[in-house]
Amino acid sequence: MNIAVLGAQWGDEGKGKIVDLLTPNFSVVCRYQGGHNAGHTVYANGRKFVLRLLPSGILHDGITCVIGNGVVVDPQALFAEIDEVSAAGVRIGDRLIISDKAHLILPYHRELDLLSEARRGERKIGTTSRGIGPAYEDKIARRGVRVGDLANREALREAVEHNVAARNRIIGDTTMDPRRVLDELQAAWERMSPWVTDVSLFLARARAVGRPIMFEGAQGTLLDIDHGTYPYVTSSNATVGGVCTGLGVPPRAIDGVLGVAKAYTTRVGEGPLPSELTGELGNRLRESGQEFGAVTGRPRRCGWYDAVAVRYAVRINGLDALALTKLDVLDGLPELQVCTSYRIRGASLTEMPGDVAQLAACEPVYETIAGWTSPTAGVRRYEELPREARAYVSRLEEITGVPAAIISTGSAREDTIIRQGSVAAKWFAP
Ligand code: IMP
């Protein structure tokens, strides 16, 4: 049984915790897109880990973690992360597999990311400035450098010299020395090469011997390069199609898809967010939900649950179920709103518009639902949730058309409700 776990909103849904929670039922955990723009927070053994490039399964001994060809890899960021988890006692050894086809984020990508944002001025995307977009640009323009290229010093030298010269023309200086970039990459290859292999072949063999695989998405459906709120998106396919292209696995290798959604909505960076709360309530959600970017520390924009957006994620990804996270952040609010449709120029819209200007012009249409007074924080059995909280969850299930198979009520692994009898129950066998 292989499942994909991916974001059903604008990222930061709590995928790290859910992947970590499910990992004991799997043998291999794979990242298929994105890079160290992701920040998957996992609390384990009394410690907080923010995983950026390493799949969230890395904290479990015996699990093989895969970085697919769809991921963009900054070698320095990868090594820093490996050092960090190793210092905390996590043994990596041969548990890491990196695709030889994954593209590299090189020092000029970071510079070009900053430059591109500065040039966009008011139209800036609000990227994480990690060089993600420029690395994918080079990939699509067929001038990128892949992990496997590091083995061939001559070809690598040519590519780096060519790309640094292009960087110099764009930036208008010659401060970047291609030899230093090359030396750095040479050193990176020495450290990385034992982990580098043909990921598609590795996964085919893993499947052939029945090893269960989890595919871990980064960012979220509404940040997908094709299906998100373009251009205010990341540069990869965070949706389920990215699993196949980003790892070289066939669609039939995916037996189930679990979407992760917060019990409200957040977004970091620019772009429309119809259910955004800018006043006191927005601050309240930000403070109690600790809504500050795991990677950049930026405050996240907060709003009510947007069921139009989540329904869209259900459709695009064929979600079987949702993991509903951070329900406890809503504790104590007298009443809650759920955005069930949009209103635009007097007309009602029940589906996500494809055009970002149209989305920006949409007003949320809310349904009011009663809040609850006794806390849900730390509740581990569905029956123990306050009646109003259960009614809230049921209503979200009705509106989105998928069951909430997992409900998270706190940051610790244990603060989780796994719904008995849900369609996804077979994924969570103890
Ligand atoms: P980039 O991925 O750094 O190019 O950023 C593009 C957009 O995606 C920006 O709005 C970022 O804030 C957003 N973004 C990228 N990665 C994440 C993430 O892991 N969580 C939430 N937002 C993200």
Side-chain angles (χ1 to χ4, degrees):
M1 167 69 64
N2 310 318
I3 69 162
V5 178
L6 48 80
Q9 295 163 321
W10 277 270
D12 306 319
E13 299 93 348
K15 296 177 290 293
K17 167 175 169 168
I18 302 299
V19 170
D20 174 68
L21 178 80
L22 297 178
T23 294
N25 298 311
F26 292 85
S27 173
V28 183
V29 180
C30 313
R31 275 280 304 272
Y32 58 88
Q33 45 71 238
H36 66 309
N37 49 349
H40 293 176
T41 306
V42 181
Y43 291 83
N45 311 328
R47 275 201 54 164
K48 176 181 172 180
F49 295 88
V50 179
L51 299 167
R52 299 173 182 94
L53 264 172
L54 293 173
S56 301
I58 200 74
L59 303 177
H60 296 256
D61 212 15
I63 305 290
T64 305
C65 287
V66 173
I67 295 180
N69 59 278
V71 175
V72 281
V73 179
D74 179 327
Q76 302 315 320
L78 176 69
F79 298 148
E81 197 172 327
I82 289 173
D83 291 344
E84 200 179 315
V85 297
S86 301
V90 174
R91 203 190 54 80
I92 293 189
D94 61 0
R95 294 200 294 121
L96 182 61
I97 303 271
I98 304 171
S99 169
D100 53 349
K101 295 178 186 160
H103 278 250
L104 292 169
I105 300 182
L106 297 176
Y108 44 83
H109 291 133
R110 288 190 290 274
E111 290 182 325
L112 294 173
D113 198 350
L114 291 170
L115 182 73
S116 150
E117 283 287 88
R119 287 193 175 158
R120 289 181 73 97
E122 294 221 319
R123 291 169 41 254
K124 74 175 192 284
I125 307 292
T127 73
T128 58
S129 349
R130 297 294 186 272
I132 306 291
Y136 280 116
E137 278 178 47
D138 275 1
K139 170 178 175 171
I140 301 302
R142 293 160 293 185
R143 56 173 176 252
V145 180
R146 308 204 291 186
V147 168
D149 297 335
L150 297 180
N152 183 342
R153 183 153 173 107
E154 229 5 76
L156 182 65
R157 189 179 56 75
E158 243 178 66
V160 168
E161 279 176 358
H162 182 270
N163 287 352
V164 169
R167 170 260 176 217
N168 292 349
R169 280 194 300 279
I170 296 169
I171 302 216
D173 71 27
T174 52
T175 51
M176 187 168 283
D177 180 354
R179 278 168 312 182
R180 273 196 47 201
V181 178
L182 261 178
D183 290 346
E184 209 179 272
L185 289 177
Q186 187 80 22
W189 177 242
E190 270 162 36
R191 185 161 182 200
M192 207 193 276
S193 55
W195 292 310
V196 176
T197 194
D198 179 333
V199 158
S200 167
L201 184 60
F202 169 82
L203 291 176
R205 288 180 175 155
R207 288 173 53 224
V209 296
R211 293 179 72 181
I213 305 170
M214 181 160 34
F215 307 112
E216 175 183 10
Q219 292 84 47
T221 299
L222 279 307
L223 287 174
D224 182 280
I225 182 74
D226 286 286
H227 301 290
T229 52
Y230 189 90
Y232 299 100
V233 291
T234 192
S235 303
S236 63
N237 286 115
T239 49
V240 72
V243 172
C244 299
T245 54
L247 289 160
V249 297
R252 288 200 177 87
I254 310 168
D255 301 304
V257 189
L258 177 70
V260 186
K262 272 180 201 165
Y264 49 99
T265 303
T266 65
R267 167 167 211 167
V268 57
E270 308 302 317
L273 188 64
S275 66
E276 182 166 14
L277 295 165
T278 47
E280 202 40 48
L281 261 172
N283 292 337
R284 153 80 166 76
L285 288 178
R286 187 172 310 107
E287 290 306 321
S288 52
Q290 283 299 297
E291 297 295 355
F292 298 90
V295 171
T296 58
R298 290 181 291 178
R300 295 180 186 139
R301 299 154 65 192
C302 299
W304 295 120
Y305 189 88
D306 185 339
V308 181
V310 176
R311 262 202 316 263
Y312 179 71
V314 171
R315 163 156 62 87
I316 296 280
N317 300 296
L319 299 183
D320 294 295
L322 277 176
L324 193 67
T325 58
K326 291 190 146 183
L327 184 66
D328 53 303
V329 172
L330 302 178
D331 285 358
L333 289 172
E335 61 182 27
L336 311 169
Q337 312 283 345
V338 174
C339 170
T340 52
S341 64
Y342 301 143
R343 181 159 292 282
I344 180 162
R345 290 183 278 280
S348 167
L349 203 59
T350 54
E351 300 293 339
M352 199 74 191
D355 174 53
V356 79
Q358 215 184 347
L359 182 64
C362 284
E363 305 262 337
V365 176
Y366 287 123
E367 177 176 314
T368 303
I369 299 180
W372 46 91
T373 44
S374 57
T376 67
V379 170
R380 295 168 190 188
R381 285 164 47 89
Y382 189 68
E383 305 70 44
E384 287 167 16
L385 286 176
R387 186 172 45 82
E388 295 83 357
R390 276 180 279 140
Y392 181 69
V393 172
S394 295
R395 186 65 189 125
L396 298 191
E397 292 182 316
E398 259 168 37
I399 309 174
T400 52
V402 281
I406 302 182
I407 300 168
S408 171
T409 57
S411 50
R413 267 180 201 157
E414 300 73 31
D415 294 340
T416 313
I417 296 166
I418 294 178
R419 301 280 291 281
Q420 298 308 311
S422 68
V423 286
K426 52 185 180 288
W427 305 335
F428 320 130

